[in-house]
Amino acid sequence: MATPSEKLAESLEALKALQDVGAVAIRSDSLTRTHRERLLKNGFLQEVMKGWYIPSSPNDRDGDTTPWYASFWDFCATYLRERFGTTWCIAPEQSLKLHAGNRTVPAQLLVRAEKGGNKPTRLLHGTSIFDVRAALPPAKDIVEENSLRLYKPAAALVEASAGFFAQKPTDARTALALFTDASEILTHLLEGGHSVVAGRLAGAFRNIGRERIADDIIKNMEAAGYAVRETDPFEGRLQFDLPARERSAYAGRIRLMWQAMRADIADNFPPAPGRPNDIEAYLKHVEDIYVTDAYHSLSIEGYRVSPALIERVRSGNWNPDQDEQDREHRDALAARGYHLAFQAVKTSVRAVLGNENPGPVADRNHGDWYRELFAPSVTAGLARPADLAGYRSDRVFIRNSMHVPLPPHAVRDAMPVFFELLAAEENPAVRIVLGHFIFVYIHPYMDGNGRMGRFLMNVMLAAGGYPWTVIPVERRNDYMAALEQASVHQNISPFASFVGGLVNDGLRGRPVAKVPDEAQARQQREAGPEWEGTGQ
């Protein structure tokens, strides 16, 4: 007779068979009732709604949104295909967001379907699908991407409401920047006689510096007998022109976010003191703060480190074999990697204090920081040498965030633009805030992005003469909430205010972070939550 463990193993094999063929949304009839109930009871399956499930982990905590946000788009694609076949399409505005590289999980996904029910279907964590009974665009105006049926960009722009441009300017401008001429847009405008829309799109293209496209829309519509009044649907104008031949939506998105956000930073940040005259004194302060920085930065990521462990690693009195007996092995490897990376970052700090442009310094050196951060894990056999070779080649998700980081191919489009913008930026506060935020928004690595973002932030701080700044683990929730506002709602002010407040305290000599004594550290490790597997 099979043991409970053997029975669970059989059920896991059935689940694995579904996952091996790419199943994310799992219908109840895809598993026997016995397998389904066993997997639910043991935490390997989570119900989304009656008859539909997603894989989960027994280690997921109650209220953890990560499994759902990571599954959202794949689940919706499968569910909608099962329900409507091919007679559905994501609404124009959401289609434009996806074309613009914005895969943030929406609170409500609006879908057009010939047999839509005109009511919401409730999903997990306050999300839903609202399927509107409406005619679909012609087949030639629909494109399938990652199993999602979307309006093609030109058709979506013609169908999008005027409010979309004002409410979602980064998404709208990124989508507009995909076009290098007016031909595809004009086909839709002329076929439908859309004179009002033509005036709106002409104004929108002119807003982003695409004068030729704007002029061609007006001239061709007027030649066909339509009276066109150009209107700008955006609330403000760009202070720069997007590159005319940049075909990556993700690269364009990073440029637009940078320009849109930079204006909201100065009022939330103290003035730059300027580079210090005594470089060695600055570097001594950086070394003096190391234990505090390492403790808080590693604790933010869920490592259960102690001041004693950090000091032991720094002094070299560290034996991986000795620490391998328990969880401390993983924590010690992380602490060792942090120490090695910190020394590499200090080299970068010295360079920017010597008046080098911090953008190229970070571009040149950030790969070294990353390799040092994970070198001990490679040596211990817990990571592959190939993992240190460059940016990630797989998807990654941020725990409990509705923001979905860029797909792997887009990382390689976005990172050069990120460093180009960092090098060209003259405002120290903008370099600090957007240097950190845009880096973790892109999430270029499978792990270590949070630590790398804070290293990058501190190199930018040094370039402005600000002190090295520690983000306290006690304020982790504030920190993550501010990043979420910037990532999901394009509101950088809370993050600028958060970082600016910590920096201002440092300038005034107020300690913003302390290292607990061993008893306090032990108590925190025993009682505190863990945030593992976040891609942070």
Side-chain angles (χ1 to χ4, degrees), residues 130-159:
F130 196 105
D131 45 280
V132 178
R133 181 172 297 175
L136 301 182
K140 66 182 178 61
D141 292 333
I142 294 177
V143 62
E144 189 167 302
E145 294 185 3
N146 299 315
S147 299
L148 291 167
R149 294 175 58 78
L150 311 177
Y151 272 74
K152 287 184 177 179
L157 282 170
V158 171
E159 291 285 335

Side-chain angles (χ1 to χ4, degrees), residues 145-190:
E145 294 185 3
N146 299 315
S147 299
L148 291 167
R149 294 175 58 78
L150 311 177
Y151 272 74
K152 287 184 177 179
L157 282 170
V158 171
E159 291 285 335
S161 67
F164 175 73
F165 296 84
Q167 294 161 12
K168 302 294 180 183
T170 298
D171 294 323
R173 287 186 173 113
T174 304
L176 289 163
L178 295 173
F179 294 88
T180 56
D181 62 69
S183 57
E184 193 176 356
I185 295 283
L186 277 166
T187 298
H188 291 83
L189 294 173
L190 291 166

Side-chain angles (χ1 to χ4, degrees), residues 46-50 52-54 68 75 122-124:
Q46 183 177 9
E47 186 177 45
V48 176
M49 58 181 164
K50 186 175 176 59
W52 289 88
Y53 306 85
I54 57 171
W68 173 237
F75 179 92
R122 307 293 179 188
L123 305 174
L124 294 177

